[in-house]
Amino acid sequence: MYLTEYEQEMLDGKYGAAQAMALKVLVAVGECFGAKRLLEVSRVHVASSNQEADVWFAEKLLKLGGRCLVAPTVNPGFNVSYLSQHLSISKKDAELTERTHRAYRELGAILTLSCTPYLEANVPRFGEILSYSETSVTVYVNSVIGARTNRESVQSSLCAAITGRVPEYGFLLDEYRKGSVLVQVEADLKSDFDYQLLGSCTQKIGPGVPVFVGLPQNLSQEALINLGTQLNTTGSYAMFHIPGVTPEAPTLEAAFGGREPERVVTITDEDLQEIHRKISRPPGKIDFAMFGCPHLTFSQVQEVAQLVKGKKLAVEMWLLTSSLNKELARRTGMLEVIEEAGGHIVEDTCIDQPCWSHLKGKVGVTDSPKCAYYASMRGMNFVIRDLAACVEAALKGEVS
Ligand code: F3S
């Protein structure tokens, strides 16, 4: 791989052992993918998972004297101070979270602790070169904003933050960003939730870059987030096109770069119903409600507040969102409304964390198939419905 004089010096250790190690990792990744050179990155998001291996890597770079050249935003772990007041948090789990925060703070990261950095705090512009890890993040910035990132790991994105470089391959190059599968949507998509189901049809869509036609042009931000999140949870898609929505695809022809699609796939109402049946438990009694995977937008918090106003929840309800949205909820009175109903708004927190151990073996309701998928590995079970039906279930204690 071609390296500039500065990059070669970095690799040789002139700027310290941490930069040398991080660049060695990136050069190795680049060589695996046939990258010819490195590019400068303007932004980084690290999907730190608050688990031993991730902390080990961050602390290793720190011990080698690491400091980020491009300050990254980082994913949520869990909010020790808030959740300790309501749940039993083990000392070991609290300490690991604190170690993670300390390591990233000392590396120079911006502790946003949110998994929707593309909505606030780390919003790229069209064409920017990024190193973003995290399911919904990669797809959203590529497809909705037209910035460029590969599906990075925690480690590769942290190395990009330390060095300010990323190997040039895959979705950083024009040719790999073109559509390859035409997805004709014949299903009648009525709500944002239906885009969770559409994004879950990855077995039918198959590999490639899907180009969706038959969708309305006025898609909400939430629908776009849901579509990308599910594509990259049930499959491994870094990008989709919707002609007229994706900045690089003003037309269908532009989405495919003038080439013919490799495959044409049709998604019907039956496909959505079938996938819904597959991923959700059947209706019945529930013990809790969990929302915010990825973190809820402000308007979703607002929707929940309107639905519970003046009522009492039958089961515990957790709304995970960014610290900005929680503060906005406080300022607008929505936090009070949700707390009076018996619910919680929690910032800095992910569904896939040990703080939720009390929910093991229980049945919850969520609007997020991603939440159901990851939390199932922690022993939680979910009925999946749209947000309004979930809130109604939380008020009654059951999904009808
Ligand atoms: Fe966010 Fe954790 Fe879900 S990082 S997207 S809440 S698995």
Side-chain angles (χ1 to χ4, degrees), residues 21 24 69 72 118 127 146 156 159 180 183 202-203 220 235 257 265 273 295 314 323 371 394 397:
M21 186 184 108
K24 196 172 165 191
L69 284 184
Y118 45 83
S156 63
C159 289
S180 56
V183 185
T202 48
Q203 274 203 335
S220 70
V265 174
Q273 284 155 13
H295 278 174
S323 50
C371 169

Side-chain angles (χ1 to χ4, degrees), residues 82 86-87 287-291 304-305 307-319 334-346 356 358 391 394-395:
Y82 182 82
H86 303 279
L87 305 174
D287 305 302
F288 69 99
M290 178 79 81
F291 309 121
V304 176
L307 291 166
V308 302
K309 192 168 185 183
K311 300 176 184 161
K312 284 282 173 215
L313 291 159
V315 295
E316 54 188 279
M317 184 172 85
W318 301 95
L319 277 71
M334 285 186 279
L335 178 62
E336 206 181 335
V337 167
I338 287 168
E339 287 183 343
E340 273 179 4
H344 299 265
I345 301 182
V346 196
W356 305 116
H358 72 294
V391 175
L395 289 165

Side-chain angles (χ1 to χ4, degrees), residues 56-304:
W56 173 85
F57 190 74
E59 286 180 342
K60 186 172 175 68
L61 286 166
L62 194 59
K63 277 188 207 124
L64 293 173
R67 184 85 193 158
C68 294
L69 284 184
V70 178
T73 47
V74 291
N75 253 27
F78 70 92
N79 187 328
V80 175
S81 65
Y82 182 82
L83 291 172
S84 299
Q85 296 166 41
H86 303 279
L87 305 174
S88 157
I89 304 291
S90 79
K91 199 163 166 246
K92 185 171 151 265
D93 291 336
E95 273 170 9
L96 188 60
T97 304
E98 272 144 26
R99 251 177 73 200
T100 306
H101 291 178
R102 197 178 320 120
Y104 276 93
R105 188 182 307 115
E106 287 177 23
L107 284 168
I110 307 166
L111 298 186
T112 44
L113 308 177
S114 169
C115 45
T116 52
Y118 45 83
L119 299 180
E120 62 195 48
N122 207 355
V123 185
R125 280 173 291 118
F126 178 82
E128 272 192 76
I129 301 296
L130 319 171
S131 179
Y132 275 22
S133 45
E134 179 52 40
T135 320
S136 78
V137 178
T138 311
V139 199
Y140 191 94
V141 297
N142 276 324
S143 316
V144 182
I145 298 179
R148 297 184 173 212
T149 181
N150 281 305
R151 294 175 74 244
E152 299 288 353
S153 67
V154 175
Q155 289 74 24
S156 63
S157 54
L158 184 54
C159 289
I162 295 281
T163 60
R165 294 292 187 278
V166 71
E168 185 186 35
Y169 70 94
F171 288 87
L172 304 190
L173 296 164
D174 287 345
E175 63 175 298
Y176 295 100
R177 297 176 66 82
K178 304 296 179 205
S180 56
V181 186
L182 178 63
V183 185
Q184 296 172 326
V185 183
E186 289 179 0
D188 185 17
L189 302 178
K190 296 192 190 75
S191 69
D192 294 340
F193 174 73
D194 289 336
Y195 290 82
Q196 303 268 27
L197 302 178
L198 178 62
S200 303
C201 293
T202 48
Q203 274 203 335
K204 193 158 184 194
I205 295 168
V209 177
V211 179
F212 293 94
V213 293
L215 301 179
Q217 290 290 299
N218 58 344
L219 286 175
S220 70
Q221 196 167 51
E222 290 74 15
L224 291 163
I225 294 171
N226 291 348
L227 177 61
T229 302
Q230 276 315 107
L231 283 170
N232 209 13
T233 299
T234 56
S236 52
Y237 297 79
M239 183 167 184
F240 62 78
H241 291 271
I242 301 175
V245 173
T246 304
E248 285 152 85
T251 62
L252 185 60
E253 201 193 9
F256 284 102
R259 295 186 297 221
E260 285 299 309
E262 288 166 18
R263 273 190 318 287
V264 180
V265 174
T266 302
I267 303 289
T268 62
D269 282 322
E270 289 70 45
D271 290 317
L272 299 196
Q273 284 155 13
E274 190 188 325
I275 201 82
H276 195 181
R277 266 196 305 276
K278 240 190 217 168
I279 60 179
S280 172
R281 275 179 66 96
K285 295 257 180 242
I286 52 158
D287 305 302
F288 69 99
M290 178 79 81
F291 309 121
C293 176
H295 278 174
L296 294 179
T297 63
F298 183 66
S299 79
Q300 288 170 320
V301 174
Q302 210 165 18
E303 185 182 342
V304 176

